[in-house]
Amino acid sequence: MPEGNEVHRWAERHTAAFAGRKLNILPGPNHRFSDAHLVDGKKLLKVHAVGKHLGYEFPGELYLHVHLGRFGDFTEGCGPLPEPKGLLRAVMQRAGSGRPSRSQKGQPHNLTCAHDDGTQPFPPEDVDWWELRGPTDCSVYDAAKWQALLDRLGPDPLAHEPDGHDDPKRAFDKILAKKTSIGELLMDQSIIAGIGNIYRAELLFRHRVNPFTPGNEMPLNRLKAIWKDAIPLLKAGMIDRRIVCTDRKDRPSKKALAERGEEHYVYRRHGKPCFVCGETILRKDVAGRTLYWCPKDQQTTAAENESALKPGISLKSSRVKPKRL
DNA sequence: GCCTTATGCTCAC
DNA sequence: TGAGCCTAAGGCT
């Protein structure tokens, strides 16, 4: 269920837990992940993260590609594996593990990576296995296929490696050449990799940008500001697992730690008052995804506001004929 | 228990 | 452009 920040966090954590070790890769019970045998028993070199994609690199230029999609998630643990949950399952386990670890204390762990408050249940060195459920993809790529994936992704605000995926100019050029709305372009992974629906909505609000603005009408300095803001914003989400996009001064509680319901300015706050101006937040189904915005702070037109979903109308019924902007 | 929604993406037409 | 895929939580009856 992650955006790019979460994917990078998993990559760092799984590198710390498993890199340099021989691993057992187990397919799910329904053999959906039939590639497991290609990397089973091999030593993991590194875990790469680009945009929302994970690549577990093994000798022979093989990459176990994982894309979590909207529903995928990892569970980590020490000691014995839990019973399988769900049909789509893959497991990565330290070869020969099952050993009692110091965290195990006689009981199997079946914990997600972090608690809600951001604390880790146990450090990566105590992680013996991860279980993956419900991903969009879990398959082995060769070097050419992995490179093709990298080539079609835009720059990633969280990219560490100087391979072109940290240079935003490519993204700016593409946006400025298109008439498509900035709200749609920010979600396009070939333009910027790693931005999802939450950060799309929150970044546009934070920079007071009308989400319906055509890309070619976006001021370059505004695009640069969004990119610059995205880096710490995504990193903050990566640290405490909660995605918090509000500044302390704008939160009703004024507390340093956002309270429940204060994490976002507009995302999933439709029908509620804007923290900044008090106007009611609107939402609209755009190309199959829900866009949220503040009609006052983001200066949308009367026609754009009129197109918003009325309270009480379900998204499902509105998606009979989703309109592209 | 049912319905809706959800941080995503691919493919066929 | 629409269908399809997959899991989980929350609201409602």
Side-chain angles (χ1 to χ4, degrees):
Chain A
M1 302 175 275
E3 299 198 20
N5 59 315
E6 187 78 351
V7 168
H8 280 265
R9 196 179 59 84
W10 284 120
E12 290 171 9
R13 196 166 164 81
H14 289 169
T15 294
F18 298 110
R21 296 172 181 274
K22 286 189 175 180
L23 300 171
N24 296 326
I25 315 292
L26 312 175
N30 66 347
H31 306 293
R32 170 78 178 267
F33 306 125
S34 55
D35 286 350
H37 67 281
L38 295 174
V39 287
D40 184 33
K42 292 184 183 290
K43 183 193 286 187
L44 177 70
L45 301 178
K46 188 184 176 186
V47 186
H48 302 264
V50 184
K52 299 169 186 174
H53 299 258
L54 286 163
Y56 295 77
E57 184 182 356
F58 292 90
E61 294 192 283
L62 294 176
Y63 297 82
L64 178 65
H65 172 252
V66 172
H67 193 293
L68 295 167
R70 222 187 318 191
F71 309 122
D73 203 4
F74 290 103
T75 300
E76 294 177 337
C78 313
L81 285 167
E83 287 300 308
K85 283 193 288 187
L87 288 174
L88 298 182
R89 179 187 191 238
V91 170
M92 178 175 283
Q93 184 181 32
R94 292 179 183 178
S97 76
R99 63 183 171 78
S101 72
R102 65 182 171 84
S103 295
Q104 188 179 345
K105 295 177 181 174
Q107 289 187 342
H109 287 257
N110 184 15
L111 302 171
T112 52
C113 184
H115 297 305
D116 286 346
D117 64 0
T119 59
Q120 302 292 346
F122 43 87
E125 56 266 28
D126 272 352
V127 175
D128 289 331
W129 50 263
W130 58 242
E131 181 192 30
L132 171 64
R133 294 183 314 282
T136 291
D137 186 48
C138 178
S139 61
V140 173
Y141 283 17
D142 61 19
K145 193 171 180 183
W146 178 252
Q147 187 58 48
L149 169 68
L150 300 184
D151 289 345
R152 71 178 167 82
L153 290 174
D156 177 349
L158 290 180
H160 302 300
E161 301 166 28
D163 60 355
H165 279 93
D166 58 349
D167 179 10
K169 187 175 181 306
R170 286 191 299 138
F172 301 158
D173 290 345
K174 285 182 182 174
I175 291 169
L176 293 171
K178 289 181 180 287
K179 293 180 181 175
T180 311
S181 72
I182 186 66
E184 283 189 83
L185 292 172
L186 280 187
M187 293 276 285
D188 184 336
Q189 300 300 297
S190 70
I191 292 177
I192 298 179
I195 302 286
N197 205 15
I198 297 179
Y199 284 114
R200 178 259 295 262
E202 296 295 298
L203 282 167
L204 289 174
F205 177 87
R206 287 171 64 89
H207 293 270
R208 305 299 192 265
V209 170
N210 176 342
F212 303 100
T213 308
N216 60 6
E217 293 180 19
M218 283 291 297
L220 177 60
N221 63 354
R222 194 68 68 89
L223 292 177
K224 287 181 177 177
I226 289 174
W227 177 274
K228 191 176 175 185
D229 191 28
I231 296 171
L233 209 59
L234 266 71
K235 281 185 177 170
M238 183 167 64
I239 290 168
D240 73 4
R241 212 183 187 202
R242 261 198 328 170
I243 293 181
V244 177
C245 298
T246 48
D247 293 333
R248 179 177 185 172
K249 64 178 171 49
D250 296 325
R251 294 174 196 144
S253 70
K254 306 296 181 193
K255 289 183 177 174
L257 195 64
E259 295 196 335
R260 191 175 167 83
E262 293 183 337
E263 295 94 340
H264 309 134
Y265 285 106
V266 292
Y267 177 76
R268 294 196 76 177
R269 294 200 65 251
H270 55 285
K272 295 177 179 168
C274 173
F275 290 143
V276 176
C277 73
E279 191 69 37
T280 301
I281 303 299
L282 300 178
R283 67 170 175 167
K284 181 185 181 182
D285 187 85
V286 176
R289 307 302 301 278
T290 311
L291 171 69
Y292 302 84
W293 76 96
C294 170
K296 188 173 176 184
D297 282 317
Q298 294 175 264
Q299 298 178 19
T300 45
T301 67
E304 289 160 353
N305 296 340
E306 185 62 29
S307 72
L309 284 173
K310 299 295 179 286
I313 304 293
S314 80
L315 284 171
K316 195 174 182 181
S317 60
S318 76
R319 279 179 184 156
V320 176
K321 274 189 182 266
K323 279 175 69 176
R324 284 193 167 273
L325 288 171

